[in-house]
Amino acid sequence: MPILLRHLMAMVVALMLAGCAGGGPSPSAETNAAATPAPAPVDLGQLHEKAAQGDARAQFFLALQYLHGRGGAPRRPEVAVRWLQRAAAQKYDDAQLLLAVLYQRGEGVPVDMARAFKLAKQVAERGHRHGMGIVAESYEHGRGVAPNLAQAAAWYRRAAEAGEPLAQTRLGYFYLTGRGVKQDRAQAIHWLERAATQYYPPAFYMLGFLHVGSEGAGSDPVIAYQWILLGTSTDPRPNLAAQNAKTSLETRLSAADQARARKLVAEWQARHPRPAGRDAR
């Protein structure tokens, strides 16, 4: 196996372990759950007052203050959990999802994967794309429910169709490897490219992997370099495997080919401007 391909395969494995296909709670789950714009500036007293009156949004943001020790509140996850439970009882989706994440982590509550799955599934069934993603991950890795790759693929598809880039990338990976679905390279590329238009670094890296090699359908080191450049320029902290892949491609490509890849990057970015912030659904 060429050294370049080894680097890229290591890169893909590293990305999977880093969260795109990892076995633990999604590192982005809390960010996703807390996507509702926060009140600014935070007035802890006012949040307490509104939360005590039953305002679910205030209960959620008050919980965030206690979870992270912000806005003058001490860091007390168990207090955060109590406010999240009150907001979740009103079917406030972000609160229910964050509560699911805390049950996965055992933060402020004992670890309870089954309860985390139940909470996330309720939100997912109400159409929340991040809830769908957590349900899919739970089925994939057997967290709180028996592992079921077909169910994981189905929930990833629902989240992907709702615009969730992590789910689009995971669904692409499933099609690439035949996990829970029939192997289909065209479908893999379709979903990875949809995630790429949202500037999701793992999607860029996996598209680069798909175009590496000296033979095989779709192999093109210039296109591979284009995708890797897009990934490393978008990723605030490219991992070592991604950096190694970029270096290996640069040693393989001529200056003219590298220039062509950079031109393709500029053209792709012109066709696909970086999207503005998205809401939680």
Side-chain angles (χ1 to χ4, degrees):
M1 182 182 295
I3 188 169
L4 172 59
L5 187 53
R6 286 204 302 272
H7 280 315
L8 284 174
M9 290 186 72
M11 175 192 69
V12 172
V13 170
L15 286 166
M16 297 299 101
L17 294 177
C20 185
S26 167
S28 64
E30 183 176 338
T31 301
N32 290 341
T36 305
V42 172
D43 183 324
L44 194 63
Q46 188 177 61
L47 275 181
H48 265 289
E49 183 179 347
K50 288 184 176 180
Q53 292 171 355
D55 185 316
R57 184 173 183 272
Q59 290 167 349
F60 171 67
F61 283 108
L62 183 59
L64 289 183
Q65 307 316 303
Y66 281 107
L67 183 62
H68 299 294
R70 296 176 184 160
R75 188 180 185 282
R76 294 186 60 189
E78 70 283 1
V79 175
V81 166
R82 289 200 293 270
W83 286 113
L84 289 173
Q85 288 170 334
R86 291 180 65 173
Q90 299 186 63
K91 297 184 179 179
Y92 192 84
D93 288 348
D94 286 349
Q96 196 165 330
L97 280 183
L98 183 50
L99 190 58
V101 171
L102 296 183
Y103 274 112
Q104 286 182 341
R105 293 179 180 171
E107 188 173 357
V109 287
V111 171
D112 189 335
M113 291 295 189
R115 188 164 186 180
F117 174 76
K118 182 179 178 180
L119 287 166
K121 194 164 188 288
Q122 289 171 352
V123 177
E125 288 173 344
R126 294 199 291 266
H128 198 295
R129 64 191 179 101
H130 299 315
M132 295 173 193
I134 293 175
V135 169
E137 291 175 350
S138 298
Y139 274 119
E140 181 180 1
H141 304 296
R143 296 201 298 265
V145 66
N148 186 321
L149 290 180
Q151 280 292 318
W155 279 102
Y156 277 132
R157 176 175 287 279
R158 288 181 64 176
E161 289 173 345
E164 172 53 47
L166 186 149
Q168 291 167 345
T169 304
R170 292 300 300 135
L171 186 59
Y173 178 73
F174 270 38
Y175 275 114
L176 181 63
T177 58
R179 301 188 72 197
V181 292
K182 184 177 179 181
Q183 195 168 13
D184 188 326
R185 179 186 172 95
Q187 279 291 304
I189 291 173
H190 167 75
W191 288 109
L192 291 170
E193 288 185 344
R194 283 189 61 174
T197 62
Q198 299 191 61
Y199 284 66
Y200 188 61
F204 287 131
Y205 296 143
M206 289 188 67
L207 285 163
F209 169 72
L210 281 172
H211 289 89
V212 75
S214 57
E215 57 183 324
S219 295
D220 187 330
V222 173
I223 301 301
Y225 187 52
Q226 169 204 343
W227 290 119
I228 297 299
L229 283 176
L230 282 162
T232 55
S233 67
T234 301
D235 194 343
R237 292 182 297 276
N239 66 20
L240 181 60
Q243 294 172 15
N244 286 343
K246 179 174 178 288
T247 300
S248 294
L249 281 162
E250 287 168 347
T251 61
R252 178 177 178 181
L253 295 171
S254 68
D257 281 341
Q258 290 183 45
R260 184 158 65 92
R262 290 190 174 91
K263 181 180 178 184
L264 291 172
V265 166
E267 291 172 349
W268 188 92
Q269 290 173 326
R271 292 194 306 273
H272 305 285
R274 186 186 294 265
R278 301 173 60 91
D279 64 19
R281 285 191 183 273

